[in-house]
């Protein structure tokens, strides 16, 4: 079916002619309005109705001929620099985009589909002609040095924790003799998982015809990129649109000497690592820690964000003791304060973890000549020396820095801000003068808007939507985030302090609703009643501002909330959605049901909704 | 679907730990200290039950500087029976915490200061600093026994004489760690530090056996077991040594009372002030056993049957259900609340079946199951364990055939129930037969209940048990 996808050039070609990066043509809008009106009656999701398909299709095919020629002016419709999760998501969407569009719009009418196949196959239509440039390994940080291998380690840590928790096992009536693990076996599991996902990613792109170009990509000028291995011959290609998706590397603050990770791009190759890992490293970043070459007796983790927390979960489950070093006054900054407090009671206090807050680690010296790793701490405010720690290893988890080295940003007059590439809300790159750089986009960690793999992918998809003629702005407040500790933490939208600030500025009230996992049958059956779900919403119209979950499988539960935010579903509507019993999802069911939206305004909300729709 | 779970939990918009939320949730006793010039209030350790003299801070839900509004939960307190959320009566700011998590405070002593405005926080803080010494001394005065949390100090005079000498040699050894700088600094792993705090082991006196002389968990455990470590200076900052007891009983070690054990001890000593006497009776249980077999499938338990029978007998002998508190008068209790002793992990608690004479047997059985579950989870509310008017203690399930019970203060009588056993008996017509019999033994306060009262009560009880058709009505 892939072969019958639409030509890429069709939609993007129109964009090329208009070339002013303006939002989509009015005809599209008119069409959708019509669809809306029809589907309204049947209460179906008003995206693409059956009646619109013919019209839609005619228009596309009509524009076919002129667009073919337009595509020929460039080597590619779309070139993506960086094959991480963001680049991969964009590439897949770009190639499959038109294909999907076609199937969607004609899906109801089988006759028209077959006729389409007949006609299109001759003309060898494709999606956007797409290339992806990668100087390291396919999959980027997430797949090779981030989310993916860490999930493998966390899967092990969850089981270890369960098997070691005599009290918990006894309560379930289980008897298990001493649990143990083989470090190399655990490390292999993580490595194999990364390998598998990397191959899946590579194959998925090859299968749909994305060209994978090896080497470092450098932007030479507008719509022009060169790539190639250092020292080898370089190739120059042109592209109608370019997406920068070069991602990030672990951020190591000044004064910290890292012996267990080389953050420079060229030598950070995953393969190289395994060759010289015989040397024991003591001051490492997440890149290196994920290899689990050693499980230190005592490890200091600098930074108590997602990365630090997840590693503390892994290390303590495998028998390490952990000391957190946090520059801010409390652990887990960035999480909703109430959640971080509860999480601290469950994830930190009962475990073999202590912490120093309000301190900077100014100098960390790796272990040498039989001496331990030394960490000098100063007070974050007064800058006075506070303490010196001697530990077996230090993990630097102070966040990530954008990776834009060698991108050739100077060739297009783009200046980074704290290393990040400045973009507008549509991911269009902004140059040093504050003007948009035409046909150039930047997604993912490199723009710093939201440093999450799935956010990068969503941004990539949003960009592809735009270059194929449909305006799209990603609502970052609907992008969920999760921390895979045991139990997990997840969130979407605003935290309570953020919501309060917004409410104050815009003059509305907010309300909070909470439910506990203790009342959930499934959680109790698992003997995992520890947990809280929290909803921040507007009592006047039922808008969901934020949802925070701490508890078993929180990361899987958050999507009901994030989808509601993305689709604009209000509390008073979602509370009637049915949840299977007994499932953990009932925690959210209870949460939505316990929210109180004033009836009067929910009527007026409905009235507004109708005005918008018709 | 919380309603299907039969839990008391309701999703709430206000409390972090809704499991504790109940209509009876106690509120912090706060008073105006100096009503004219300042609006700083003391937050007192509340009395969560009639027997509570001190409470342990499980955790502070709010931190210093947090804004509090009326009715919000501030602190979780472990009383002698249960963990409870405690809420504030006033709006304001939690200015200073005087008793940290894990610390113990006497009922009525200040555990924190509440400032009405943000400006007063610093004022309250300095107040807390000055008054913390006086309040901690007052808390010891109010308790006749010394604060029950010290661990190794219980080793008393002989070992404490040895301790200083031992400590000095130990410090020299600990300095083997390169970072210890001649013993000035202590290098201990995070878990070792945690354990030391829990076990009240002074780290400076512990020899480290870890890498480069670092103190690790097993060093602390060894030091605690040796009992050589001196007790920490701040007794209120540490919780009792729960973790030590968990793996098993360490022979030769001295364990401090848990809060619950301390409460039991206090009650037992108090009971000596009451003149008690005992009357025993042997009751045939064949009919009761037959009834039990019939209703067992409906969820009825033997405990509920006995409680019901006792309550029906008490209804006919109100004096046995009375209690004497002041030695001058006694109260005919208006309801018959049967307290039943239950052994739980680390102690004993007496959940109460209220109005056992009126509530039907099946409801009583359900109620009992609920109470036992709550007791095991340490979630009983005060009214669920402190309102008994007559107590049942049953050791029959262990094969005990007879024993006597100590009368709980504030009640008139307690009945010890032994096992029902097949017994060869001579019947009135001169034959020998086989009957199941159990012995009961009532301990009563002779100031109000006399021998004839108990005899009459036991006779009635025997009749009910031997012909138990009334129990299922």
């Amino acid at each position: 079916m892939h072969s019958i996808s639409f030509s890429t050039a069709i939609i993007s070609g129109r964009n090329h002619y208009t070339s002013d990066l303006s939002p989509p043509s009015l005809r599209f809008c008119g069409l959708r309005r019509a669809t809306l009106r029809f589907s309204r009656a049947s209460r179906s999701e008003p995206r693409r109705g059956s009646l619109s398909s013919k019209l839609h299709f005619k228009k596309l095919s009509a524009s076919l001929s002129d667009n073919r020629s337009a595509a020929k002016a460039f080597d590619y419709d779309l070139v993506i620099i960086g094959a991480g999760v963001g680049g991969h998501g964009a590439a897949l969407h770009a190639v499959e985009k038109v294909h999907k569009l076609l199937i969607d719009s004609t899906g109801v009418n089988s006759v028209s589909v077959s006729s389409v196949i007949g006609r299109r196959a001759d003309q060898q239509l494709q999606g956007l002609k797409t290339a992806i440039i990668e100087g390291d390994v396919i999959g980027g940080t997430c797949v090779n040095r981030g989310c993916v291998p860490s999930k493998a380690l966390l899967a092990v840590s969850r089981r270890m924790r369960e098997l070691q928790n005599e009290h918990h096992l006894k309560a379930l009536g289980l008897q298990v003799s001493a649990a143990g693990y083989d470090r190399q076996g655990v490390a292999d599991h993580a490595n194999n998982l990364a390998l598998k996902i990397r191959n899946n990613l590579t194959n998925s792109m090859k299968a749909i015809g994305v060209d994978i170009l090896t080497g470092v990509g450098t932007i030479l000028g507008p719509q022009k990129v060169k790539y190639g291995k250092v020292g080898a011959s370089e190739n120059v290609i042109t592209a109608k649109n370019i997406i920068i998706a070069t991602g990030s590397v672990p951020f190591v603050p000044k004064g910290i000497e890292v012996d267990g990770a080389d953050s420079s791009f060229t030598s950070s190759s995953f393969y190289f690592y395994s060759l010289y890992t015989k040397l024991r490293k003591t001051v490492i970043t997440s890149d290196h820690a994920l290899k689990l070459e050693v499980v230190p007796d005592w490890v200091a983790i600098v930074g108590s964000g997602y990365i630090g927390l997840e590693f503390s979960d892994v290390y303590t489950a495998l028998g390490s003791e952990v000391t957190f070093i946090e520059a801010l006054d409390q652990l887990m900054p960035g999480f909703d304060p109430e959640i971080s407090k509860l999480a601290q009671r469950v994830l930190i206090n009962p475990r073999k973890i202590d912490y120093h807050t309000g301190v900077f680690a100014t100098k960390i010296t790796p272990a040498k000549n039989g001496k331990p790793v030394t960490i000098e701490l100063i007070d974050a405010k007064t800058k006075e020396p506070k303490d010196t720690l001697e530990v077996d290893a230090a993990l630097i988890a102070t966040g990530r820095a954008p990776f834009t080295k060698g991108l050739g940003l100077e060739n297009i007059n783009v200046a980074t801000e704290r290393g990040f590439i400045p973009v507008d809300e549509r991911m269009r790159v902004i140059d040093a003068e504050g003007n948009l750089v035409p046909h150039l986009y930047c997604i993912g960690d490199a723009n710093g808007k939201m440093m999450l793999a799935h956010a990068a992918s969503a941004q990539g998809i949003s960009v592809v939507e735009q270059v194929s003629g449909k305006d799209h702005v990603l609502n970052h407040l609907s992008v969920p985030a999760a921390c895979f500790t045991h139990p997990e933490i997840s969130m979407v939208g605003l935290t309570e302090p953020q919501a309060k600030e917004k409410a104050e500025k815009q003059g509305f009230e907010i309300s909070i609703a909470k439910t506990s996992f203790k009342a959930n049958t499934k959680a109790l059956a698992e003997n995992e009643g520890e947990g809280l779900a929290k909803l921040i919403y507007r009592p006047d119209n039922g808008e969901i501002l934020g949802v925070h979950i701490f508890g078993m499988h929180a990361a899987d539960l958050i999507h009901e909330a994030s989808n509601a935010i993305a689709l604009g579903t209000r509390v008073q509507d979602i509370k009637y959605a049915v949840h299977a019993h007994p499932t953990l999802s009932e925690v959210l069911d209870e949460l939505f049901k316990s929210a109180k939206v004033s009836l009067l305004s929910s009527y007026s909300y409905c009235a507004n909704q109708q005005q918008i729709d018709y | 679907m919380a309603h299907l779970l039969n839990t008391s939990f309701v999703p709430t918009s206000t409390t972090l730990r809704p499991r504790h939320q109940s209509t009876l949730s106690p509120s912090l006793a706060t008073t105006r200290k100096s009503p004219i010039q300042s609006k700083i209030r003391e937050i007192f350790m509340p009395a969560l039950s009639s027997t509570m003299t001190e409470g342990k801070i499980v955790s502070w839900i709010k931190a210093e500087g947090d804004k509090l509004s009326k009715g919000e939960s501030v602190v979780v307190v472990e009383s002698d029976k249960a963990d409870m959320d405690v809420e504030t009566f006033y709006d304001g700011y939690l200015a200073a915490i005087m008793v940290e998590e894990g610390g113990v405070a006497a009922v009525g002593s200040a555990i924190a200061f509440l400032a009405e405005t943000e400006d007063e926080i610093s004022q309250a803080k300095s107040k807390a600093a000055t008054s913390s010494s006086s309040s901690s001394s007052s808390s010891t005065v109010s308790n006749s026994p010394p604060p029950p949390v010290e661990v190794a100090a219980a080793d008393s005079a002989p070992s404490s004489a040895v301790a200083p000498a031992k400590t000095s040699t130990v410090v020299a050894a600990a300095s083997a760690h390169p970072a210890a700088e001649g013993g000035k600094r202590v290098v201990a792993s995070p878990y070792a530090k945690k354990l030391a705090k829990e076990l009240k082991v002074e780290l400076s006196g512990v020899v480290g056996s870890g890498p480069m002389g670092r103190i690790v968990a097993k060093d602390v455990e060894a030091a605690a077991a040796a009992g050589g470590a001196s007790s920490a200076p701040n007794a209120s900052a540490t919780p009792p040594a729960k973790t030590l007891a968990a793996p098993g009983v360490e022979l030769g070690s001295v364990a401090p009372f848990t809060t619950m054990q301390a409460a039991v001890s206090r009650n037992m000593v108090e009971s000596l002030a009451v003149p008690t006497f005992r009357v025993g009776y042997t009751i045939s249980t064949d009919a009761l056993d037959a009834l039990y077999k019939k209703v067992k499938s409906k969820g009825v338990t033997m405990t509920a049957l006995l409680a019901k029978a006792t309550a029906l007998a008490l209804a006919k002998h109100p004096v046995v259900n009375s209690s004497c508190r002041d030695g001058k008068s006694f109260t005919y209790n208006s309801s018959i609340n049967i307290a039943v002793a239950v052994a739980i992990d680390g102690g004993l608690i007496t959940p109460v079946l209220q109005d056992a004479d009126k509530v039907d047997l099946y409801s009583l059985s359900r109620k009992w199951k609920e109470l036992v579950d709550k007791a095991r989870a340490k979630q009983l509310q005060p009214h669920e364990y402190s309102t008994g008017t007559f107590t049942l203690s049953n050791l029959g399930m262990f094969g005990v055939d007879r024993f006597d019970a100590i009368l709980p203060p504030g009640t008139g009588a307690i009945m010890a129930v032994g096992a029902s056993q097949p017994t060869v008996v001579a019947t009135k017509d001169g034959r020998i037969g086989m009957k199941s019999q159990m012995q009961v033994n009532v301990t009563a306060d002779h100031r109000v209940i006399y021998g004839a009262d108990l005899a009459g009560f036991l006779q009635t009880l025997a009749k009910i048990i031997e012909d138990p058709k009334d129990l299922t009505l």
Side-chain angles (χ1 to χ4, degrees):
Chain A
M1 289 293 274
H2 286 306
S3 60
I4 54 116
S5 54
F6 242 99
S7 164
T8 297
I10 295 172
I11 290 175
S12 53
R14 175 156 31 83
N15 207 15
H16 177 60
Y17 285 125
T18 52
S19 85
D20 59 353
L21 295 161
S22 69
S25 74
L26 272 168
R27 280 196 292 168
F28 251 107
C29 286
L31 201 74
R32 287 198 52 202
R33 283 189 78 103
T35 319
L36 269 171
R37 222 168 275 139
F38 281 114
S39 56
R40 186 76 197 157
S42 59
R43 273 311 264 146
S44 72
E45 182 52 34
R47 282 281 169 260
R48 263 173 213 99
S50 55
L51 283 165
S52 67
S53 63
K54 232 180 216 168
L55 238 161
H56 201 144
F57 177 67
K58 266 183 192 161
K59 182 171 62 68
L60 287 173
S61 56
S63 59
L64 183 73
S65 52
D66 31 337
N67 287 320
R68 290 295 295 172
S69 54
K72 277 173 189 154
F74 294 98
D75 296 328
Y76 290 100
D77 296 316
L78 181 64
V79 163
I80 301 160
I81 306 176
V85 168
H88 174 258
L92 248 57
H93 193 63
V95 176
E96 294 197 318
K97 167 106 181 100
V98 186
H99 175 205
K100 278 188 185 148
L101 199 91
L102 182 73
I103 297 304
D104 285 352
S105 56
T106 57
V108 229
N109 189 336
S110 58
V111 179
S112 77
V113 168
S114 58
S115 70
V116 167
I117 292 169
R119 268 195 294 169
R120 299 298 153 214
D122 304 343
Q123 299 171 24
Q124 290 175 338
L125 293 180
Q126 286 161 16
L128 299 185
K129 191 178 180 206
T130 304
I132 196 157
I133 301 175
E134 178 57 62
D136 197 34
V137 284
I138 301 292
T141 298
C142 173
V143 172
N144 299 295
R145 303 174 296 272
C147 343
V148 171
S150 69
K151 292 305 101 35
L153 297 184
L154 283 158
V156 173
S157 89
R158 190 193 85 226
R159 286 173 172 82
M160 275 304 286
R161 216 173 268 294
E162 261 172 27
L163 294 173
Q164 287 168 339
N165 190 344
E166 280 173 44
H167 175 73
H168 191 238
L169 291 171
K170 211 173 141 192
L172 294 170
L174 284 175
Q175 287 173 345
V176 176
S177 53
Y181 68 93
D182 162 37
R183 185 201 52 77
Q184 192 55 49
V186 179
D188 289 348
H189 173 51
N191 195 14
N192 291 341
L193 179 71
L195 200 68
K196 187 180 235 168
I197 304 298
R198 182 160 75 231
N199 288 339
N200 288 352
L201 234 62
T202 312
N203 292 340
S204 68
M205 289 196 289
K206 279 184 181 157
I208 55 169
V210 174
D211 286 348
I212 300 174
L213 312 173
T214 311
V216 178
T218 304
I219 298 168
L220 295 177
Q223 298 175 299
K224 195 184 278 181
V225 181
K226 75 170 181 189
Y227 72 95
K229 290 261 184 209
V230 182
S233 62
E234 286 173 340
N235 308 294
V236 176
I237 47 171
T238 56
K240 190 174 297 160
N241 291 290
I242 298 169
I243 298 179
I244 299 169
T246 45
S248 62
V249 291
F251 170 68
V252 179
K254 270 186 206 158
I256 295 177
E257 194 184 321
V258 173
D259 64 354
D262 192 338
S263 45
S264 90
F265 189 69
T266 44
S267 66
S268 76
S269 163
F270 194 66
Y271 302 108
F272 271 109
Y273 268 146
S274 40
L275 294 176
Y276 61 77
T277 48
K278 293 284 174 273
L279 286 162
R280 200 179 137 170
K281 311 297 186 220
T282 53
V283 180
I284 57 179
T285 65
S286 57
D287 282 8
H288 194 83
L290 286 166
K291 279 176 241 311
L292 202 74
E293 281 162 10
V294 62
V295 178
D297 289 343
W298 184 2
V299 56
I301 300 181
V302 187
S304 65
Y306 294 75
I307 303 172
L309 266 183
E310 291 191 358
F311 273 105
S312 81
D313 197 277
V314 171
Y315 278 129
T316 53
L318 299 183
S320 302
E321 294 177 31
V322 169
T323 296
F324 270 118
I325 298 166
E326 173 57 56
L328 296 174
D329 284 336
Q330 61 171 3
L331 290 176
M332 295 177 249
F335 292 92
D336 184 85
E338 196 169 353
I339 295 287
S340 70
K341 206 160 191 180
L342 180 63
Q344 188 173 331
R345 277 170 69 170
V346 177
L347 299 176
I348 310 273
N349 296 348
R351 296 184 181 173
K352 296 176 182 178
I353 301 176
D354 69 352
Y355 50 86
H356 299 263
T357 51
V359 290
F360 286 129
T362 42
K363 191 164 179 246
I364 300 185
T365 316
K368 248 179 258 163
N369 311 326
K371 283 190 178 164
V373 178
T374 56
I375 303 173
E376 285 173 27
L377 301 179
I378 62 161
D379 191 293
K381 287 186 191 105
T382 62
K383 309 287 177 211
E384 277 166 20
K386 257 200 130 172
D387 209 345
T388 306
L389 301 179
E390 294 80 19
V391 292
D392 299 318
L395 169 66
I396 313 304
T398 41
R400 301 186 60 86
F403 182 80
T404 54
K405 210 163 78 180
L407 249 181
L409 293 175
E410 61 283 356
N411 300 336
I412 42 169
N413 190 28
V414 170
T416 58
E417 287 170 10
R418 293 180 301 120
F420 294 108
I421 296 174
V423 292
D424 72 352
E425 57 174 9
R426 290 180 173 81
M427 309 301 140
R428 295 177 291 197
V429 174
I430 299 168
D431 71 11
E433 264 87 62
N435 301 319
L436 293 177
V437 181
H439 310 293
L440 183 65
Y441 300 82
C442 176
I443 62 169
D445 288 4
N447 71 30
K449 271 188 178 291
M450 198 176 214
M451 296 175 86
L452 296 167
H454 50 272
S457 188
Q459 289 169 356
I461 288 166
S462 173
V463 169
V464 170
E465 287 291 304
Q466 291 171 57
V467 302
S468 36
K470 187 182 157 213
D471 190 28
H472 189 275
V473 177
L474 176 65
N475 176 10
H476 283 86
L477 286 176
S478 73
V479 178
C483 181
F484 296 84
T485 45
H486 302 106
E488 296 171 342
I489 310 170
S490 63
M491 69 200 77
V492 63
L494 305 175
T495 63
E496 191 178 336
Q498 287 169 343
K500 273 187 181 148
E501 196 187 319
K502 185 176 175 182
E504 213 155 279
K505 266 188 202 152
Q506 302 185 5
F508 59 81
E509 293 280 308
I510 61 163
S511 285
I512 311 281
K514 287 174 218 164
T515 50
S516 162
F517 278 63
K518 283 198 184 78
N520 181 275
T521 313
K522 187 74 186 303
L524 290 178
E526 299 281 347
N527 219 341
E528 303 270 3
E530 197 88 58
L532 172 81
K534 174 174 175 178
L535 166 70
I536 304 159
Y537 64 102
R538 283 182 65 160
D540 56 343
N541 64 11
E543 184 188 347
I544 300 169
L545 301 171
V547 173
H548 304 263
I549 310 174
F550 173 75
M552 190 186 199
H553 294 311
D556 294 312
L557 294 177
I558 195 68
H559 299 96
E560 186 169 4
S562 62
N563 289 350
I565 293 179
L567 302 173
T569 314
R570 306 286 167 129
V571 172
Q572 62 270 32
D573 299 323
I574 201 168
K575 74 201 290 182
Y576 294 108
V578 181
H579 297 69
H581 177 74
T583 59
L584 291 172
S585 71
E586 290 169 289
V587 171
L588 287 192
D589 189 24
E590 289 285 329
L591 186 66
F592 295 131
K593 286 191 164 79
S594 66
K596 287 176 185 64
V597 180
S598 67
L599 254 182
L600 196 74
S601 51
S602 75
Y603 278 128
S604 67
Y605 161 71
C606 285
N608 283 340
Q609 177 77 331
Q610 283 175 354
Q611 270 179 349
I612 292 163
D613 282 351
Y614 290 92
Chain B
M1 300 227 171
H3 55 281
L4 294 183
L5 290 168
N6 204 15
T7 73
S8 59
F9 169 83
V10 233
T12 163
S13 316
T14 48
T15 346
L16 176 61
R17 299 177 42 142
R19 131 180 103 100
H20 295 296
Q21 206 193 33
S22 82
T23 47
L24 289 181
S25 178
S27 292
L28 278 181
T30 44
T31 56
R32 208 165 264 246
K33 220 195 176 179
S34 36
I36 301 151
Q37 20 90 264
S38 106
K39 281 172 196 133
I40 297 162
R41 295 183 168 95
E42 282 179 346
I43 300 180
F44 291 135
M45 173 61 73
L48 301 176
S49 71
S50 55
T51 53
M52 178 174 165
T53 57
E54 62 190 24
K56 188 171 119 188
I57 310 289
V58 176
S59 61
W60 284 97
I61 297 166
K62 299 286 174 180
E64 286 187 6
D66 280 6
K67 197 172 186 316
L68 306 177
S69 44
K70 200 175 153 183
E72 229 178 331
S73 295
V74 180
V75 60
V76 182
V77 169
E78 180 192 314
S79 74
D80 47 351
K81 316 263 170 161
D83 288 3
M84 300 196 111
D85 276 19
V86 185
E87 48 201 50
T88 169
F89 274 142
Y90 298 97
D91 293 341
Y93 293 86
L94 185 59
I97 289 174
M98 293 165 68
V99 182
E100 293 296 326
E101 291 185 3
V104 175
V107 167
S109 68
I111 54 174
F113 278 111
L114 183 75
E116 191 155 295
T117 64
E118 248 172 308
D119 309 332
E120 286 160 353
I121 292 179
S122 57
Q123 203 185 331
K125 273 198 170 141
S126 58
K127 211 168 171 175
T130 53
S131 68
S132 62
S133 53
S134 64
S135 82
S136 68
S137 66
S138 75
S139 77
T140 23
V141 171
S142 71
N143 285 335
S144 36
V149 270
E150 81 278 13
V151 176
D155 260 19
S156 77
S159 74
S160 62
V162 181
K166 201 170 172 183
T167 311
S168 58
T169 59
V170 152
V171 168
S175 67
H177 194 289
E181 291 165 19
K184 269 185 279 171
R185 292 187 53 223
V186 174
V187 178
S189 79
Y191 187 45
K193 281 183 207 152
K194 241 172 219 189
L195 266 183
K197 207 175 167 194
E198 277 170 23
L199 301 178
K200 298 210 144 278
V201 170
E202 189 70 59
L203 281 172
S204 62
V206 177
V207 189
S209 71
M212 288 156 290
R214 173 194 304 161
I215 299 168
V216 294
K218 69 174 163 51
D219 302 331
V220 177
E221 278 163 354
S230 49
S231 70
N234 185 9
S236 67
T238 14
K242 261 189 203 153
T243 47
L244 187 65
V249 178
E250 184 117 26
L251 297 177
S253 63
V254 176
F257 277 155
T258 61
T259 324
M260 182 180 277
Q261 286 166 335
V264 170
S265 164
R266 239 181 348 260
N267 281 343
M268 291 303 96
V269 173
E270 213 176 296
S271 74
L272 292 176
V274 180
T276 55
F277 74 114
R278 292 153 183 88
V279 175
Y281 209 97
T282 301
I283 303 171
S284 296
T285 59
D286 293 293
L288 187 71
D289 292 342
L291 174 69
Y292 177 53
K293 258 183 209 151
K294 260 198 278 176
V295 293
K296 195 178 173 183
S297 59
K298 294 175 189 162
V300 174
T301 62
M302 191 46 111
T303 304
L305 276 170
L306 286 173
K308 183 75 186 169
T310 309
L312 290 178
L314 283 172
K316 290 182 181 156
H317 301 270
V319 71
V320 185
N321 195 44
S322 70
S323 54
C324 170
R325 288 191 173 84
D326 55 2
K328 290 173 200 152
S329 65
F330 64 100
T331 315
Y332 285 112
N333 290 307
S334 55
S335 44
I336 296 173
N337 297 339
I338 307 289
V340 187
V342 176
I344 58 167
D345 203 18
L348 169 78
I349 198 158
T350 54
V352 174
L353 289 164
Q354 285 172 341
D355 295 314
D357 58 330
K358 300 196 184 79
V359 178
D360 72 85
L361 188 60
Y362 305 100
S363 310
L364 214 54
S365 301
R366 276 196 299 277
K367 183 73 191 167
W368 178 244
K369 199 177 169 306
E370 184 192 321
L371 286 171
V372 170
D373 289 348
K374 274 177 141 182
R376 298 248 151 87
K378 297 200 174 180
Q379 285 174 8
L380 283 177
Q381 302 293 321
H383 70 280
E384 290 172 322
Y385 58 74
S386 62
T387 53
T389 57
F390 183 93
T391 311
L392 269 185
S393 181
N394 184 359
L395 291 178
M397 58 285 234
F398 300 109
V400 169
D401 64 344
R402 63 186 174 275
F403 69 107
D404 87 63
I406 294 181
L407 182 66
T411 61
I414 178 170
M415 184 162 76
V417 182
S420 169
Q421 292 172 320
T423 315
V424 179
V425 292
T427 54
K428 275 174 189 162
D429 53 12
R431 295 167 190 246
I432 293 175
M434 187 79 111
K435 277 185 174 176
S436 281
Q437 293 190 327
M438 76 176 178
Q439 298 189 37
V440 297
N441 191 9
V442 181
T443 306
D445 181 347
H446 208 301
R447 290 174 299 180
V448 289
I449 303 164
Y450 303 158
D453 298 328
L454 278 192
F457 162 73
L458 285 168
Q459 218 173 4
T460 310
L461 179 67
K463 263 189 202 147
I464 294 171
I465 289 177
E466 284 166 8
D467 184 12
K469 59 180 189 312
D470 290 347
L471 293 183
T472 49
L473 290 180

